[in-house]
Amino acid sequence: MKNDDKAESAGISIANLPLPLFAGTMGLAGLALVWHQVEGFWGRGEAFAEVIGVLAAIVFVAMLLAYASKLALYRQESLAEITHPVRLNFLPAVSISLILLGMLAGPGQLSLLLWGGGAALHLAFMLGIVTSWLLRQLDLNMLNPAWFIPAVGNVLVPIPAANAGYTEVAWFFFAVGIFFWLILMTLCYHRLIFGANLPEFLQPTLAVLLAPPAVGYLAWVSLTGEAETDIIGRMLYYKALFTFFLLLVQVPRLVKIPFYPSWWAYTFPLAAFSLASFHYVENLAPNAEPLLMALVGLTTLVILWVFVFTVVALLNGRLLKPE
Protein backbone atom coordinates (compact mmCIF):
# COMPACT_ATOMS: atom_id res chain seq x y z
CA MET A 1 0.00 0.00 0.00
CA LYS A 2 1.29 3.47 -0.86
CA ASN A 3 2.02 6.00 1.86
CA ASP A 4 -0.87 8.21 0.72
CA ASP A 5 -3.25 5.27 0.97
CA LYS A 6 -1.98 4.44 4.46
CA ALA A 7 -2.53 8.07 5.51
CA GLU A 8 -6.04 8.08 4.11
CA SER A 9 -6.82 4.79 5.83
CA ALA A 10 -5.66 6.31 9.11
CA GLY A 11 -8.05 9.20 8.55
CA ILE A 12 -5.29 11.77 7.97
CA SER A 13 -6.44 14.14 5.24
CA ILE A 14 -6.43 17.83 4.41
CA ALA A 15 -10.22 17.46 4.31
CA ASN A 16 -10.06 17.61 8.11
CA LEU A 17 -7.98 20.82 8.28
CA PRO A 18 -9.82 22.90 10.92
CA LEU A 19 -10.92 26.43 10.07
CA PRO A 20 -10.10 27.69 13.61
CA LEU A 21 -6.39 27.37 12.80
CA PHE A 22 -6.64 30.74 11.04
CA ALA A 23 -6.68 32.15 14.58
CA GLY A 24 -2.99 31.21 14.67
CA THR A 25 -2.11 34.28 12.62
CA MET A 26 -4.17 36.44 14.97
CA GLY A 27 -2.23 35.19 17.99
CA LEU A 28 1.21 35.47 16.39
CA ALA A 29 0.53 38.88 14.87
CA GLY A 30 -0.79 40.06 18.22
CA LEU A 31 2.41 38.86 19.89
CA ALA A 32 4.53 40.71 17.31
CA LEU A 33 2.60 43.92 18.05
CA VAL A 34 3.17 43.37 21.78
CA TRP A 35 6.92 43.06 21.28
CA HIS A 36 6.98 46.18 19.12
CA GLN A 37 5.51 47.90 22.17
CA VAL A 38 8.20 46.28 24.32
CA GLU A 39 10.84 47.77 22.02
CA GLY A 40 9.29 51.22 22.30
CA PHE A 41 8.73 50.94 26.07
CA TRP A 42 11.97 49.29 27.22
CA GLY A 43 14.22 49.62 24.17
CA ARG A 44 14.62 45.90 23.49
CA GLY A 45 12.90 43.07 21.63
CA GLU A 46 12.82 44.56 18.12
CA ALA A 47 14.45 41.50 16.51
CA PHE A 48 12.04 39.14 18.27
CA ALA A 49 9.08 41.26 17.13
CA GLU A 50 10.30 41.12 13.52
CA VAL A 51 10.78 37.34 13.63
CA ILE A 52 7.32 36.75 15.09
CA GLY A 53 5.80 39.13 12.55
CA VAL A 54 7.38 37.24 9.66
CA LEU A 55 6.24 33.94 11.21
CA ALA A 56 2.68 35.29 11.43
CA ALA A 57 2.75 36.17 7.72
CA ILE A 58 4.15 32.74 6.80
CA VAL A 59 1.50 30.96 8.87
CA PHE A 60 -1.24 33.03 7.20
CA VAL A 61 -0.03 32.27 3.67
CA ALA A 62 0.41 28.58 4.54
CA MET A 63 -3.13 28.38 5.93
CA LEU A 64 -4.55 30.18 2.89
CA LEU A 65 -2.86 27.73 0.54
CA ALA A 66 -3.84 24.73 2.63
CA TYR A 67 -7.46 25.78 2.95
CA ALA A 68 -7.63 26.67 -0.75
CA SER A 69 -6.49 23.10 -1.43
CA LYS A 70 -9.17 21.81 0.90
CA LEU A 71 -11.80 23.87 -0.94
CA ALA A 72 -10.60 22.57 -4.30
CA LEU A 73 -10.28 18.91 -3.31
CA TYR A 74 -12.98 18.56 -0.66
CA ARG A 75 -15.58 21.15 -1.52
CA GLN A 76 -18.44 19.47 0.35
CA GLU A 77 -16.48 19.19 3.62
CA SER A 78 -15.28 22.78 3.30
CA LEU A 79 -18.73 24.20 2.68
CA ALA A 80 -20.14 22.16 5.56
CA GLU A 81 -17.56 23.73 7.89
CA ILE A 82 -17.98 27.28 6.59
CA THR A 83 -21.76 27.10 6.95
CA HIS A 84 -21.71 25.35 10.34
CA PRO A 85 -23.49 27.56 12.93
CA VAL A 86 -20.50 27.37 15.33
CA ARG A 87 -17.45 27.09 13.04
CA LEU A 88 -18.82 29.83 10.78
CA ASN A 89 -17.76 32.35 13.43
CA PHE A 90 -14.09 31.42 12.95
CA LEU A 91 -14.21 32.48 9.27
CA PRO A 92 -13.62 36.19 10.11
CA ALA A 93 -10.27 35.15 11.61
CA VAL A 94 -9.11 35.43 7.97
CA SER A 95 -10.09 39.10 7.68
CA ILE A 96 -8.87 39.93 11.20
CA SER A 97 -5.50 38.39 10.30
CA LEU A 98 -5.25 40.71 7.28
CA ILE A 99 -6.02 43.72 9.47
CA LEU A 100 -3.37 42.71 11.99
CA LEU A 101 -0.78 42.08 9.28
CA GLY A 102 -1.58 45.54 7.93
CA MET A 103 -0.92 47.00 11.38
CA LEU A 104 2.42 45.18 11.46
CA ALA A 105 3.39 46.43 8.03
CA GLY A 106 3.67 50.02 9.26
CA PRO A 107 2.59 53.17 7.36
CA GLY A 108 2.41 52.87 3.59
CA GLN A 109 0.52 51.37 0.69
CA LEU A 110 1.09 47.77 1.77
CA SER A 111 -0.42 48.49 5.16
CA LEU A 112 -3.44 50.20 3.60
CA LEU A 113 -3.93 47.33 1.17
CA LEU A 114 -3.81 44.73 3.95
CA TRP A 115 -5.95 46.35 6.62
CA GLY A 116 -8.25 48.01 4.08
CA GLY A 117 -8.79 44.72 2.26
CA GLY A 118 -9.25 42.99 5.60
CA ALA A 119 -11.84 45.56 6.68
CA ALA A 120 -13.82 45.17 3.44
CA LEU A 121 -13.67 41.39 3.70
CA HIS A 122 -14.69 41.53 7.35
CA LEU A 123 -17.72 43.66 6.51
CA ALA A 124 -18.74 41.07 3.90
CA PHE A 125 -18.28 38.25 6.42
CA MET A 126 -20.23 40.17 9.06
CA LEU A 127 -23.17 40.80 6.72
CA GLY A 128 -23.27 37.13 5.78
CA ILE A 129 -22.96 35.90 9.37
CA VAL A 130 -25.62 38.25 10.76
CA THR A 131 -27.91 37.24 7.91
CA SER A 132 -27.40 33.59 8.84
CA TRP A 133 -28.24 34.42 12.48
CA LEU A 134 -31.47 36.09 11.37
CA LEU A 135 -32.57 33.31 9.02
CA ARG A 136 -31.74 30.28 11.17
CA GLN A 137 -33.63 29.16 14.24
CA LEU A 138 -30.57 28.60 16.39
CA ASP A 139 -30.58 26.81 19.71
CA LEU A 140 -29.25 28.82 22.67
CA ASN A 141 -26.62 26.15 23.36
CA MET A 142 -25.03 26.87 19.98
CA LEU A 143 -24.03 30.28 21.31
CA ASN A 144 -20.47 30.45 22.65
CA PRO A 145 -17.72 33.08 23.02
CA ALA A 146 -16.41 32.32 19.51
CA TRP A 147 -19.37 34.39 18.29
CA PHE A 148 -17.40 37.42 19.48
CA ILE A 149 -14.83 36.94 16.72
CA PRO A 150 -16.88 38.78 14.04
CA ALA A 151 -17.53 41.64 16.50
CA VAL A 152 -13.86 41.88 17.56
CA GLY A 153 -12.77 42.42 13.98
CA ASN A 154 -15.04 45.44 13.66
CA VAL A 155 -13.59 47.07 16.79
CA LEU A 156 -10.05 46.42 15.53
CA VAL A 157 -10.46 48.35 12.27
CA PRO A 158 -10.56 51.83 13.90
CA ILE A 159 -6.97 51.47 15.15
CA PRO A 160 -5.25 51.49 11.73
CA ALA A 161 -8.08 53.45 10.07
CA ALA A 162 -7.94 56.37 12.53
CA ASN A 163 -4.15 56.45 12.43
CA ALA A 164 -4.28 56.59 8.61
CA GLY A 165 -6.82 59.43 8.64
CA TYR A 166 -9.92 57.44 7.63
CA THR A 167 -11.94 58.80 10.54
CA GLU A 168 -15.47 58.05 9.32
CA VAL A 169 -14.50 54.50 8.36
CA ALA A 170 -13.06 54.09 11.84
CA TRP A 171 -16.22 55.35 13.55
CA PHE A 172 -18.43 53.11 11.39
CA PHE A 173 -16.60 49.94 12.35
CA PHE A 174 -16.33 51.02 15.98
CA ALA A 175 -20.09 51.62 16.21
CA VAL A 176 -20.92 48.26 14.62
CA GLY A 177 -18.39 46.41 16.77
CA ILE A 178 -19.49 47.93 20.09
CA PHE A 179 -23.16 47.37 19.20
CA PHE A 180 -22.67 43.66 18.56
CA TRP A 181 -20.27 43.25 21.48
CA LEU A 182 -22.86 44.58 23.94
CA ILE A 183 -25.57 42.32 22.51
CA LEU A 184 -23.39 39.20 22.32
CA MET A 185 -21.88 39.82 25.76
CA THR A 186 -25.36 39.84 27.31
CA LEU A 187 -26.50 36.78 25.38
CA CYS A 188 -23.26 34.91 26.02
CA TYR A 189 -23.30 35.43 29.78
CA HIS A 190 -26.96 34.37 29.81
CA ARG A 191 -26.03 31.18 27.93
CA LEU A 192 -23.00 30.47 30.14
CA ILE A 193 -24.97 30.95 33.36
CA PHE A 194 -28.34 29.41 32.50
CA GLY A 195 -27.52 27.09 29.59
CA ALA A 196 -25.63 23.82 29.41
CA ASN A 197 -21.90 23.86 30.12
CA LEU A 198 -19.68 24.44 27.12
CA PRO A 199 -18.35 21.22 25.61
CA GLU A 200 -14.73 20.56 26.45
CA PHE A 201 -13.35 21.57 23.05
CA LEU A 202 -15.05 24.98 23.27
CA GLN A 203 -14.08 25.87 26.84
CA PRO A 204 -10.85 27.63 25.74
CA THR A 205 -13.06 30.11 23.85
CA LEU A 206 -13.91 31.67 27.23
CA ALA A 207 -10.71 33.67 26.71
CA VAL A 208 -12.34 35.43 23.75
CA LEU A 209 -14.40 37.39 26.27
CA LEU A 210 -11.23 39.38 27.02
CA ALA A 211 -10.66 40.66 23.49
CA PRO A 212 -13.58 43.08 22.83
CA PRO A 213 -13.06 45.45 25.80
CA ALA A 214 -9.27 45.38 25.36
CA VAL A 215 -9.44 46.13 21.62
CA GLY A 216 -12.30 48.53 22.26
CA TYR A 217 -10.07 50.53 24.62
CA LEU A 218 -7.32 50.76 21.99
CA ALA A 219 -9.85 51.75 19.32
CA TRP A 220 -11.40 54.41 21.55
CA VAL A 221 -8.02 55.95 22.29
CA SER A 222 -7.15 55.91 18.58
CA LEU A 223 -10.42 57.67 17.76
CA THR A 224 -10.44 60.27 20.53
CA GLY A 225 -6.79 60.65 21.48
CA GLU A 226 -7.88 60.81 25.09
CA ALA A 227 -6.56 58.73 27.97
CA GLU A 228 -5.88 60.57 31.21
CA THR A 229 -9.37 61.97 31.81
CA ASP A 230 -11.56 59.80 29.61
CA ILE A 231 -14.37 57.91 31.37
CA ILE A 232 -15.29 55.56 28.51
CA GLY A 233 -11.69 54.51 27.98
CA ARG A 234 -11.30 53.71 31.66
CA MET A 235 -14.55 51.72 31.68
CA LEU A 236 -13.41 49.65 28.71
CA TYR A 237 -9.99 48.96 30.21
CA TYR A 238 -11.34 48.01 33.63
CA LYS A 239 -13.93 45.73 32.01
CA ALA A 240 -11.00 44.02 30.29
CA LEU A 241 -9.08 43.86 33.57
CA PHE A 242 -12.04 42.26 35.37
CA THR A 243 -12.39 39.70 32.57
CA PHE A 244 -8.68 38.93 32.86
CA PHE A 245 -9.10 38.27 36.59
CA LEU A 246 -12.17 36.12 35.87
CA LEU A 247 -10.17 34.04 33.41
CA LEU A 248 -7.31 33.61 35.89
CA VAL A 249 -9.77 31.98 38.27
CA GLN A 250 -10.62 29.46 35.51
CA VAL A 251 -6.98 28.48 34.89
CA PRO A 252 -6.96 25.36 37.17
CA ARG A 253 -9.85 23.98 35.11
CA LEU A 254 -8.66 25.12 31.68
CA VAL A 255 -5.15 23.62 32.01
CA LYS A 256 -6.72 20.15 32.30
CA ILE A 257 -8.28 20.39 28.84
CA PRO A 258 -6.37 18.43 26.16
CA PHE A 259 -5.12 20.17 23.03
CA TYR A 260 -7.74 21.39 20.57
CA PRO A 261 -7.43 24.00 17.80
CA SER A 262 -9.58 26.17 20.06
CA TRP A 263 -6.51 26.64 22.27
CA TRP A 264 -5.67 29.52 19.91
CA ALA A 265 -8.53 31.37 21.61
CA TYR A 266 -6.11 32.02 24.47
CA THR A 267 -3.65 33.92 22.30
CA PHE A 268 -5.01 37.04 20.62
CA PRO A 269 -7.12 38.13 23.62
CA LEU A 270 -4.01 38.01 25.83
CA ALA A 271 -2.05 39.99 23.25
CA ALA A 272 -4.84 42.57 22.95
CA PHE A 273 -5.00 42.97 26.74
CA SER A 274 -1.21 43.38 26.87
CA LEU A 275 -1.36 46.11 24.19
CA ALA A 276 -4.13 47.90 26.08
CA SER A 277 -2.14 47.59 29.31
CA PHE A 278 0.93 49.18 27.70
CA HIS A 279 -1.07 52.27 26.88
CA TYR A 280 -2.85 52.35 30.24
CA VAL A 281 0.30 51.91 32.30
CA GLU A 282 2.17 54.55 30.31
CA ASN A 283 -0.58 57.14 30.76
CA LEU A 284 -2.33 56.29 34.00
CA ALA A 285 -0.47 53.72 36.09
CA PRO A 286 3.33 54.04 35.74
CA ASN A 287 3.86 52.24 39.07
CA ALA A 288 2.35 49.09 37.54
CA GLU A 289 5.29 48.57 35.17
CA PRO A 290 6.48 45.34 36.93
CA LEU A 291 2.99 43.88 36.48
CA LEU A 292 3.13 44.84 32.81
CA MET A 293 6.40 42.96 32.42
CA ALA A 294 4.80 39.88 33.99
CA LEU A 295 1.83 40.17 31.63
CA VAL A 296 4.13 40.36 28.59
CA GLY A 297 5.97 37.27 29.82
CA LEU A 298 2.71 35.37 30.34
CA THR A 299 1.40 36.38 26.91
CA THR A 300 4.63 35.34 25.19
CA LEU A 301 4.80 31.96 26.94
CA VAL A 302 1.15 31.10 26.26
CA ILE A 303 1.31 31.98 22.56
CA LEU A 304 4.59 30.13 21.96
CA TRP A 305 3.28 27.18 23.97
CA VAL A 306 0.13 26.95 21.83
CA PHE A 307 2.21 27.33 18.65
CA VAL A 308 4.51 24.45 19.61
CA PHE A 309 1.55 22.19 20.48
CA THR A 310 -0.05 23.04 17.13
CA VAL A 311 3.09 22.23 15.14
CA VAL A 312 3.44 18.90 16.98
CA ALA A 313 -0.23 18.07 16.37
CA LEU A 314 0.15 18.85 12.66
CA LEU A 315 3.33 16.79 12.32
CA ASN A 316 1.82 13.74 13.97
CA GLY A 317 -1.37 14.12 11.91
CA ARG A 318 -3.70 14.67 14.83
CA LEU A 319 -5.11 17.92 13.45
CA LEU A 320 -5.77 16.27 10.08
CA LYS A 321 -7.91 13.48 11.52
CA PRO A 322 -11.72 13.63 11.78
CA GLU A 323 -12.96 14.91 15.13
Side-chain angles (χ1 to χ4, degrees):
M1 182 182 290
K2 296 181 180 179
N3 289 337
D4 289 345
D5 295 333
K6 290 180 180 179
E8 288 292 331
S9 66
I12 298 174
S13 170
I14 199 172
N16 304 314
L17 182 70
L19 184 64
L21 281 186
F22 272 107
T25 300
M26 292 175 56
L28 291 169
L31 181 61
L33 289 169
V34 168
W35 276 86
H36 277 299
Q37 287 295 312
V38 169
E39 195 275 331
F41 210 78
W42 292 305
R44 62 189 66 182
E46 182 179 6
F48 184 73
E50 294 296 333
V51 169
I52 297 298
V54 170
L55 181 60
I58 291 173
V59 167
F60 181 69
V61 172
M63 273 299 299
L64 274 183
L65 293 174
Y67 213 84
S69 298
K70 177 178 175 176
L71 278 168
L73 298 174
Y74 302 96
R75 184 176 178 82
Q76 185 174 351
E77 289 86 346
S78 301
L79 292 178
E81 184 174 41
I82 292 172
T83 57
H84 189 276
V86 175
R87 292 207 169 204
L88 169 66
N89 296 289
F90 287 95
L91 186 59
V94 178
S95 51
I96 296 174
S97 295
L98 283 171
I99 297 167
L100 289 168
L101 291 173
M103 293 169 65
L104 280 174
Q109 289 300 314
L110 177 60
S111 174
L112 178 60
L113 179 64
L114 288 170
W115 74 256
L121 182 60
H122 195 84
L123 179 59
F125 284 155
M126 192 71 184
L127 289 170
I129 289 170
V130 173
T131 299
S132 74
W133 292 346
L134 296 175
L135 295 179
R136 295 179 177 181
Q137 289 186 317
L138 298 173
D139 185 87
L140 178 64
N141 287 330
M142 291 183 179
L143 180 66
N144 64 79
W147 286 43
F148 280 78
I149 296 175
V152 172
N154 287 302
V155 183
L156 186 65
V157 173
I159 301 173
N163 292 335
Y166 294 91
T167 307
E168 294 307 312
V169 172
W171 277 111
F172 169 78
F173 279 95
F174 183 80
V176 173
I178 291 296
F179 173 77
F180 279 104
W181 170 50
L182 293 174
I183 291 176
L184 290 173
M185 178 175 62
T186 304
L187 290 173
C188 198
Y189 273 105
H190 174 77
R191 181 258 187 270
L192 292 172
I193 294 170
F194 297 106
N197 291 333
L198 289 173
E200 186 180 63
F201 74 95
L202 279 178
Q203 288 184 23
T205 64
L206 287 171
V208 180
L209 297 172
L210 178 60
V215 178
Y217 170 78
L218 293 168
W220 180 257
V221 170
S222 295
L223 284 164
T224 65
E226 298 177 1
E228 290 82 356
T229 61
D230 187 72
I231 296 174
I232 294 178
R234 278 184 163 148
M235 290 177 64
L236 287 167
Y237 182 78
Y238 283 126
K239 174 63 176 71
L241 182 62
F242 169 77
T243 306
F244 178 72
F245 289 151
L246 184 63
L247 290 171
L248 285 181
V249 175
Q250 315 306 315
V251 167
R253 176 168 58 89
L254 293 175
V255 295
K256 297 177 183 178
I257 297 172
F259 177 77
Y260 293 101
S262 57
W263 271 23
W264 279 103
Y266 297 136
T267 62
F268 177 71
L270 267 176
F273 182 61
S274 296
L275 290 168
S277 297
F278 267 108
H279 186 278
Y280 202 82
V281 167
E282 182 179 10
N283 290 278
L284 292 165
N287 293 332
E289 190 172 321
L291 296 176
L292 180 60
M293 295 178 68
L295 179 60
V296 170
L298 173 66
T299 300
T300 304
L301 287 174
V302 168
I303 294 176
L304 294 181
W305 178 48
V306 175
F307 177 74
V308 169
F309 267 84
T310 303
V311 171
V312 171
L314 281 171
L315 291 176
N316 64 25
R318 181 182 171 186
L319 285 181
L320 299 179
K321 292 181 180 179
E323 297 179 354

